[in-house]
C-alpha cells in the first residue's frame, strides 16, 4: 500500500512572500555585513585606482616635443583610426577617370640582421642588410587622393607571403591570386577609377582578368595620384612562443618591386613618373637604397614602412599606443574579491545555520537563490561599472596627456567596454554564488570559484602556457568573459601580438556569452540541488 | 583597604596532564589525528596529485615546436606547469588545518588541551608539511613522468637540442626537489596567513590572492621594468617559482635557490606573525 503525503504549506500572506520582499531581505543581509561591503568597495577601488595609475606611467617623446603634442604627428585614416602611411611612390596625376595597369615581375627585400631594434624616427638601426622578405612586404599599384599621410586610397599589391591583395582605406584587405611572384610567374595588376569608385583586377597572364574588389572612396575627388609603390613593415623575429610575452626582435626592412609593361590611361600626355617618399616618419629604413629606378620601360621601386592600421602592441608603429583594456588590468583583482564575497553570501548562511531560518521564511528555494543572484549581481554590476568607468575614462585621458594614443576610442566603444566589464563581474559573481550554493562549505567554495574563474585567466594571460594552450583556455573557460574588455579589432594584414590584454581569441560578446553559459548552467544546477537536498 | 591575593593551589597528582601528553609529541599526535580523521583531507591530497599532473600533462600535450623555429621550450618547466594549480589545493589544505577549527569552535578545545600556542602552531606546521611533502613528491614525480612521455611524443627530444626531462640532468633534479619544497613552503605560508585571518573563507581568498595577484601584476608592468623586476625578485610565488627553470637561467630575475629562499623567508615571517598573534589574541 502506498500513501501519498501532501506536505502542509501555509497559506501565503499577501505582501510578505513576494519576490520583492525576498530581494529586500537578501539586500539587507548583504548590506548589513560590514566586512562584505568593505570588501566590495575595496574591489571597486582596486579596479579604479589600478586603472588610473598603473599603465603607461611614462611619457612619450618625439623629437623636440613630448606628451600629447606627439599625437599630432600620428596620421589618421578616413575612418578616424590611427594608421601607418609610409611608402615610396612613383606617380602621375590622374585628373578624371582612368586606369593603371602593370606587370610585376619580382618582389625582393632586405632585412636588417640581428637585434637591430628600432630607435625612433630618423635614426636608422644598426646591423647589416641581408636578403629577406617580410610576410607583408608590398609592391604594386595605388590610386591615392593625395600624398598626405592618412589620405584615402586603393591599392593592388603583391605581398611577401600572402599572394596578391587588394587593400583600401587602411583597414580593408581582400585576397586575390595566391602564390609568390617571380620572373617565371609574374602578376598583372590593374586599378580603374570611375569617380570615387576604384575597382581592382589581377591576372596571371595579362589577358584574362579577374575582379578582386570594388572600393568606394568617399574622399577621393578631383585630381588624384596613380602610380607604383613599395613598402615593407618592420621585420619581427619571435624568439619565445608564448601568448602573452611576444618576446622577439624588430629590425628594419625594405622591399623592391620590379615593374614592366606600365600603362596609365587617363593621365596627362607625356607625363613622367615622379618618385616621392610618402610619410617619412613611419619608414623603418631610411637610406640611399630607397627610391625609383628606371631603365627603358622597366621600373624598380624600393620603399620601407607600411600602409595599414596601427594595432596595439603591433610591430608597425613608432608611436606608443594603448587600448581601453590596458586600463582594466585591475579588474581581475576586483573580480577575485567580488567572487569570494559572492561565494560567502551563501556559504555564510550554512555556517551559521541561518539558512534554516531563511528557508522557513521563504520556502520556495529556487526563488531564494534567484533573489540572492539578483542582489549580488546588481551590486557587483553597479560597483564594477562605476569603477570601470573611472578607470577607462580617467585612465585614457591621463594616458593621452602623456602622449599615448588610445586606439579606437569613441563613446559607443567606451560604453560597451565599461558596461561589459560591469556585466562580466556580475555574471562571474552569480557563477561564484551558484558554485558556492552547490558546495555549501566556505573553504571549498572560495577555492573552487577562484580555481574555476580567476585561475584560467591567470594561466591564459601570464605566459605560463604555450600560445595554443593559452588561447584554448581563454576560449572554453569562464575566463573567456574577459574578452568583453576588447576595444580594437584584429587585422590579418598587420603582424602584431594579438594576445591579452588587448586581444582575446573570442569576440567581445562571444566570450561574454561563454561566461553566461557557465553561470546559467551552474545556477540551474544549484537551484536543483537546493530543492533536492536538506538544508 | 587592600585585598589579599590568594594563590590557587596547583592541581597535583593525576589531575595534571602527564609529560607525554603535554609536549610537542602529544600535540603532533593530536594534530595528526585531527587531520587524518577529517573527511576532506584524503580528497584534498588526491586533488593535489590529480590537478598537478593533469594540468602539467595537458600543457605538455599542447606544446609543440616546429623544427628550426628556434622556440625556447624548457621541458621540465612545462611538465611542472601543474604546480600553478596544485599550489591552490595545498593552500586550501593549509587553511582548513587552522580555520576549520575557528569555524567550528574546535580551537577553544584545542587550546584548553594544549595551552602552549606556539606548540600548537608548530605541531600544525609539522603535520601539514609532512602531508604536503608526501603528496608533492608523488605529484611532481607523476608530472615529470607524464611530461617526459608526452613531450617526447611531440618531438621535443634531446636530438632537437632540448633539455629533456631526465634524472641524469642536474637542473631537472634540482627543479624536481625544489618544486616539492616549493609546495611545502606554500603550505606553511598559507598556514601563517590563515592563522592571522582566521575566518576560513576570507583566509582562502587572501591566500589565493597572495599566490595569484603578484604574478599578473608583474605581467602588466611591462612599461615599468624596475617594478617588474622587484616583484619577480621579492614576492613569494614569482621568486619561488624560479626553481622550476632549467634553461635560460641567466635571464632569471633571481636564481632558483635564492628564489626559494625568498619564499622560505615569507613563510617564516608569516608563521612568526601568526604565532605572535595566536599568543596575543583571544581564541
Amino acid at each position: 500500500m502506498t500513501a501519498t503525503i501532501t506536505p502542509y504549506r501555509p497559506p501565503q500572506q499577501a505582501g510578505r512572500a513576494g519576490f520583492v520582499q525576498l530581494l529586500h531581505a537578501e539586500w539587507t543581509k548583504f548590506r548589513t555585513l560590514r566586512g562584505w561591503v568593505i570588501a566590495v568597495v575595496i574591489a571597486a577601488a582596486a579596479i579604479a585606482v589600478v586603472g588610473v595609475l598603473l599603465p603607461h606611467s611614462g611619457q612619450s617623446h618625439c623629437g623636440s616635443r613630448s606628451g600629447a603634442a606627439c599625437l599630432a604627428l600620428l596620421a589618421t585614416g578616413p575612418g578616424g583610426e590611427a594608421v601607418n602611411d609610409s611608402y615610396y611612390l612613383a606617380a602621375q596625376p590622374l585628373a578624371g577617370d582612368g586606369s593603371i595597369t602593370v606587370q610585376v615581375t619580382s618582389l625582393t627585400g632586405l632585412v636588417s640582421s640581428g637585434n637591430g631594434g628600432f630607435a625612433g624616427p630618423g635614426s636608422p638601426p644598426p646591423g647589416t642588410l641581408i636578403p629577406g622578405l617580410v610576410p607583408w612586404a608590398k609592391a604594386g599599384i595605388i590610386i591615392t587622393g593625395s600624398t598626405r599621410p592618412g589620405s584615402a586610397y586603393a591599392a593592388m599589391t603583391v605581398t611577401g607571403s600572402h599572394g596578391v591583395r587588394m587593400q583600401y582605406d587602411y583597414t580593408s584587405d581582400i585576397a586575390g591570386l595566391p602564390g609568390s611572384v617571380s620572373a617565371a610567374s609574374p602578376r598583372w595588376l590593374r586599378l580603374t577609377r570611375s569617380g570615387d569608385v576604384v575597382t581592382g583586377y589581377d591576372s596571371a597572364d595579362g589577358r584574362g582578368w579577374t575582379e578582386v574588389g570594388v572600393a568606394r572612396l568617399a574622399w577621393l575627388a578631383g585630381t588624384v595620384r596613380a602610380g607604383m609603390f613599395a613598402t615593407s613593415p618592420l621585420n619581427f623575429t619571435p624568439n619565445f612562443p608564448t601568448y602573452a610575452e611576444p618576446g622577439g626582435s624588430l629590425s628594419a626592412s625594405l622591399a623592391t618591386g620590379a615593374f614592366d609593361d606600365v600603362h596609365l590611361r587617363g593621365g596627362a600626355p607625356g607625363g613622367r613618373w615622379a618618385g616621392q617618399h610618402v610619410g617619412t616618419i613611419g619608414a623603418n629604413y631610411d637610406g640611399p637604397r630607397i627610391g625609383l629606378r628606371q631603365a627603358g620601360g622597366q621600373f624598380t621601386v624600393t620603399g620601407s614602412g607600411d600602409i595599414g592600421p596601427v594595432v596595439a602592441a603591433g610591430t608597425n608603429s613608432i608611436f606608443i599606443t594603448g587600448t581601453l583594456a590596458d586600463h582594466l588590468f585591475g579588474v581581475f583583482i576586483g573580480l577575485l574579491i567580488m567572487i569570494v564575497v559572492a561565494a560567502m553570501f551563501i556559504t555564510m548562511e550554512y555556517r551559521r545555520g541561518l539558512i534554516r531560518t531563511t528557508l522557513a521564511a521563504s520556502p520556495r528555494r529556487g526563488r531564494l537563490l534567484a533573489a540572492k543572484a539578483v542582489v549580488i549581481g546588481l551590486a557587483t554590476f553597479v560597483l564594477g561599472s562605476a569603477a570601470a568607468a573611472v578607470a577607462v575614462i580617467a585612465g585614457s585621458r591621463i594616458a593621452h596627456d602623456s602622449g599615448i594614443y588610445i586606439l579606437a576610442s569613441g563613446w559607443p566603444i567606451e560604453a560597451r567596454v565599461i558596461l561589459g566589464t560591469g556585466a562580466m563581474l556580475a555574471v562571474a559573481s552569480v557563477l561564484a554564488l551558484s558554485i558556492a550554493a552547490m558546495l555549501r562549505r566556505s573553504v571549498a567554495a572560495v577555492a573552487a570559484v577562484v580555481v574555476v574563474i580567476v585561475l584560467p585567466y591567470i594561466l591564459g594571460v601570464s605566459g605560463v602556457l604555450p600560445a595554443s594552450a593559452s588561447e584554448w583556455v581563454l576560449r572554453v573557460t569562464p575566463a573567456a568573459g574577459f574578452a568583453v574588455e576588447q576595444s580594437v579589432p584584429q587585422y590579418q594584414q598587420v603582424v602584431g601580438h594579438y594576445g591579452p590584454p588587448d586581444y582575446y581569441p573570442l569576440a567581445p560578446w562571444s566570450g561574454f556569452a561563454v561566461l553566461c553559459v557557465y553561470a546559467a548552467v551552474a545556477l540551474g544546477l544549484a537551484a536543483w540541488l537546493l530543492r533536492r537536498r536538506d538544508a | 583597604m587592600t585585598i589579599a591575593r590568594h594563590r590557587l593551589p596547583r592541581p597535583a597528582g593525576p589531575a595534571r596532564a602527564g609529560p607525554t601528553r603535554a609536549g610537542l609529541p602529544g600535540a603532533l599526535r593530536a594534530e595528526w589525528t585531527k587531520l587524518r580523521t577529517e573527511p576532506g583531507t584524503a580528497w584534498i591530497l588526491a586533488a593535489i596529485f590529480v590537478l598537478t599532473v593533469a594540468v602539467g600533462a595537458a600543457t605538455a600535450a599542447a606544446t609543440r615546436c616546429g623544427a628550426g623555429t628556434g622556440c625556447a621550450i624548457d621541458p621540465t618547466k612545462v611538465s611542472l606547469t601543474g604546480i600553478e594549480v596544485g599550489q591552490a589545493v595545498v593552500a586550501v589544505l593549509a587553511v582548513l588545518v587552522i580555520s576549520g577549527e575557528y569555524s567550528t569552535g574546535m580551537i577553544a578545545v584545542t587550546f584548553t588541551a594544549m595551552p602552549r600556542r606556539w606548540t600548537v602552531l608548530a605541531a600544525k606546521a609539522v603535520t601539514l608539511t609532512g602531508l604536503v611533502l608526501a603528496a608533492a613528491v608523488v605529484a611532481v614525480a607523476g608530472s615529470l613522468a607524464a611530461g617526459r612521455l608526452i613531450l617526447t611524443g611531440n618531438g621535443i627530444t634531446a636530438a632537437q637540442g632540448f633539455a629533456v626531462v631526465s634524472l641524469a640532468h642536474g637542473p631537472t633534479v634540482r627543479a624536481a626537489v625544489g618544486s616539492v619544497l616549493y609546495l611545502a613552503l606554500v603550505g606553511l605560508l598559507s598556514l601563517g596567513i590563515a592563522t592571522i585571518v582566521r575566518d576560513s573563507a576570507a583566509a582562502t581568498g587572501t591566500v589565493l590572492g597572495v599566490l595569484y595577484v603578484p604574478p599578473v601584476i608583474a605581467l602588466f608592468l611591462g612599461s615599468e621594468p624596475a617594478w617588474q623586476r622587484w616583484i619577480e625578485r621579492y614576492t613569494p610565488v614569482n621568486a619561488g617559482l624560479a626553481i622550476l627553470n632549467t634553461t635560460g637561467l641567466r635571464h632569471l630575475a633571481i636564481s632558483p635557490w635564492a628564489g626559494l629562499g625568498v619564499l622560505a623567508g615569507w613563510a617564516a615571517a608569516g608563521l612568526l606573525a601568526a604565532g605572535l598573534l595566536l599568543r596575543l589574541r583571544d581564541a
Side-chain angles (χ1 to χ4, degrees):
Chain A
M1 191 187 105
T2 56
T4 312
I5 300 166
T6 310
Y8 169 73
R9 282 178 189 264
Q12 301 206 340
Q13 287 175 305
R16 296 300 301 164
F19 192 63
V20 176
Q21 277 71 23
L22 204 50
L23 279 180
H24 186 248
E26 292 303 329
W27 168 242
T28 308
K29 278 186 216 166
F30 181 79
R31 93 186 143 74
T32 50
L33 261 171
R34 206 169 42 171
W36 291 357
V37 175
I38 292 173
V40 181
V41 169
I42 287 177
I47 295 172
V49 170
V50 170
V52 170
L53 294 185
L54 209 68
H56 306 313
S57 34
Q59 190 164 47
S60 63
H61 300 275
C62 42
S64 57
R65 309 189 204 188
S66 67
C70 286
L71 298 181
L73 299 174
L74 188 80
T76 52
E81 69 285 338
V83 299
N84 288 297
D85 196 12
S86 174
Y87 55 101
Y88 196 84
L89 173 70
Q92 290 187 28
L94 182 65
D97 293 350
S99 73
I100 178 169
T101 307
V102 298
Q103 179 195 16
V104 185
T105 53
S106 82
L107 174 63
T108 55
L110 294 169
V111 296
S112 178
S113 64
N115 292 355
F118 180 50
S123 58
T128 49
L129 293 172
I130 53 172
L133 198 57
V134 302
W136 284 101
K138 294 166 198 156
I141 51 178
I142 187 167
I143 292 179
T144 177
S146 74
T147 54
R148 183 185 54 78
S151 57
Y153 77 97
M156 283 297 299
T157 175
V158 297
T159 60
S161 54
H162 296 278
V164 173
R165 318 290 292 198
M166 175 169 182
Q167 298 188 338
Y168 58 93
D169 280 1
Y170 305 94
T171 54
S172 300
D173 174 52
I174 305 165
L177 285 169
S180 59
V181 64
S182 66
S185 98
R187 294 279 183 269
W188 280 261
L189 309 174
R190 175 179 290 165
L191 283 172
T192 62
R193 179 206 182 191
S194 170
D196 59 359
V197 176
V198 177
T199 311
Y201 303 87
D202 64 7
S203 165
D205 55 12
R207 290 185 296 274
W209 292 89
T210 313
E211 182 182 305
V212 180
V214 180
R216 178 174 290 276
L217 308 174
W219 289 265
L220 200 70
T223 300
V224 299
R225 292 177 164 271
M228 296 158 280
F229 79 100
T231 193
S232 182
L234 279 169
N235 175 38
F236 177 64
T237 315
N239 57 12
F240 198 74
T242 69
Y243 197 41
E245 290 174 281
S249 57
L250 293 172
S251 60
S253 78
L254 51 139
T256 302
F259 301 89
D260 203 345
D261 205 9
V262 180
H263 296 285
L264 177 68
R265 199 166 50 73
R272 289 189 64 249
W273 297 102
Q276 178 182 8
H277 209 154
V278 176
T280 40
I281 196 169
N284 58 65
Y285 174 85
D286 192 8
R289 291 168 193 272
I290 302 287
L292 164 71
R293 278 159 203 85
Q294 186 172 356
Q298 297 182 331
F299 300 84
T300 58
V301 179
T302 303
S304 174
D306 197 12
I307 311 176
V310 172
V311 301
T315 57
N316 65 347
S317 179
I318 59 159
F319 294 95
I320 304 179
T321 57
T323 70
L324 302 182
D326 293 345
H327 301 281
L328 290 173
F329 150 59
V331 165
F332 99 100
I333 301 174
L335 174 73
L336 182 65
I337 300 171
M338 283 178 180
I339 61 175
V340 168
V341 170
M344 290 166 80
F345 193 34
I346 183 121
T347 58
M348 205 60 106
E349 297 225 7
Y350 283 99
R351 193 157 116 212
R352 304 263 181 252
L354 180 65
I355 190 74
R356 287 186 282 277
T357 314
T358 305
L359 289 177
S362 66
R364 301 177 68 172
R365 299 184 172 189
R367 285 181 137 201
L368 171 73
L369 195 63
K372 278 194 183 292
V374 168
V375 167
I376 196 76
L378 273 180
T380 49
F381 175 75
V382 170
L383 275 171
S385 299
V390 172
V392 163
I393 295 172
S396 57
R397 298 300 175 272
I398 291 171
H400 181 272
D401 289 345
S402 44
I404 292 147
Y405 187 86
I406 300 296
L407 296 167
S409 39
W411 74 264
I413 291 175
E414 282 190 10
R416 194 256 294 156
V417 168
I418 290 167
L419 296 178
T421 300
M424 190 265 285
L425 289 167
V427 175
S429 298
V430 171
L431 172 60
L433 174 80
S434 311
I435 293 174
M438 291 188 247
L439 294 175
R440 301 199 279 199
R441 294 186 54 177
S442 299
V443 176
V446 170
V449 301
V450 171
V451 166
V452 168
I453 302 171
V454 178
L455 196 56
Y457 169 75
I458 291 169
L459 289 177
V461 306
S462 68
V464 179
L465 302 180
S468 53
S470 294
E471 273 197 44
W472 185 82
V473 162
L474 291 174
R475 269 176 207 279
V476 302
T477 65
F482 277 91
V484 82
E485 293 178 359
Q486 292 172 108
S487 59
V488 283
Q490 301 190 12
Y491 293 106
Q492 55 174 358
Q493 71 267 36
V494 179
V495 172
H497 160 234
Y498 294 111
D502 298 319
Y503 302 94
Y504 287 82
L506 291 178
W509 292 118
S510 315
F512 182 70
V514 170
L515 176 63
C516 287
V517 168
Y518 275 100
V521 170
L523 194 62
L525 266 178
W528 182 69
L529 279 175
L530 192 62
R531 290 168 70 104
R532 228 175 134 256
R533 293 191 296 208
D534 279 341
Chain B
M1 193 183 110
T2 55
I3 299 168
R5 283 175 175 270
H6 293 279
R7 211 171 251 235
L8 285 171
R10 279 172 168 260
R16 253 185 109 178
T20 51
R21 308 289 299 157
L24 187 62
L28 275 176
R29 235 185 72 178
E31 289 306 326
W32 167 240
T33 308
K34 275 189 256 179
L35 207 50
R36 182 170 54 81
T37 52
E38 173 83 25
T41 306
W43 285 107
I44 290 176
L45 292 176
I48 294 175
F49 172 75
V50 171
L51 280 177
T52 306
V53 176
V55 171
T59 310
T63 302
R64 284 193 170 71
C65 186
T69 50
C71 51
I73 288 176
D74 183 340
T76 304
K77 193 179 182 185
V78 168
S79 309
L80 291 174
T81 307
I83 299 279
E84 297 260 354
V85 185
Q87 64 180 355
V89 192
V90 170
V92 167
L93 180 64
V95 169
L96 281 177
V97 163
I98 182 79
S99 296
E101 296 212 15
Y102 278 102
S103 60
T104 52
M106 175 76 175
I107 195 74
V109 180
T110 301
F111 284 148
T112 309
M114 170 54 67
R116 297 188 166 184
R117 299 190 171 181
W118 279 103
T119 311
V120 170
L121 186 63
K124 284 188 184 296
V126 171
T127 319
L128 172 73
T129 305
L131 276 182
V132 173
L133 280 178
V137 165
V138 185
V140 167
S143 299
L144 288 176
R148 182 187 160 96
L149 200 71
I150 296 168
L151 287 174
T152 309
N154 280 357
I156 314 284
T157 58
Q160 305 276 336
F162 291 106
V164 176
V165 176
S166 153
L167 287 180
H169 184 227
T172 302
V173 177
R174 187 255 303 143
V177 173
S179 48
V180 170
L181 295 177
Y182 171 84
L183 287 179
L185 289 170
V186 164
L188 290 176
L189 174 65
S190 309
L191 178 68
I193 295 173
T195 309
I196 295 167
V197 177
R198 299 204 278 202
D199 176 79
S200 58
T204 315
T206 310
V207 168
L208 295 180
V210 167
L211 292 184
Y212 291 123
V213 171
V216 182
I217 292 183
L219 176 73
F220 280 78
L221 277 177
S223 58
E224 298 287 337
W227 292 17
Q228 197 173 30
R229 192 173 160 77
W230 192 91
I231 288 180
E232 277 169 2
R233 287 176 67 90
Y234 300 118
T235 58
V237 168
N238 285 63
L241 282 179
I243 200 77
L244 297 186
N245 292 282
T246 65
T247 61
L249 299 184
R250 282 184 305 118
H251 303 294
L252 292 180
I254 190 166
S255 74
W257 286 117
L260 207 61
V262 169
L263 174 59
W266 280 104
L271 285 176
L272 192 67
L276 287 175
L277 282 174
L278 265 189
R279 270 194 73 99
L280 295 175
R281 291 193 298 209
D282 279 341

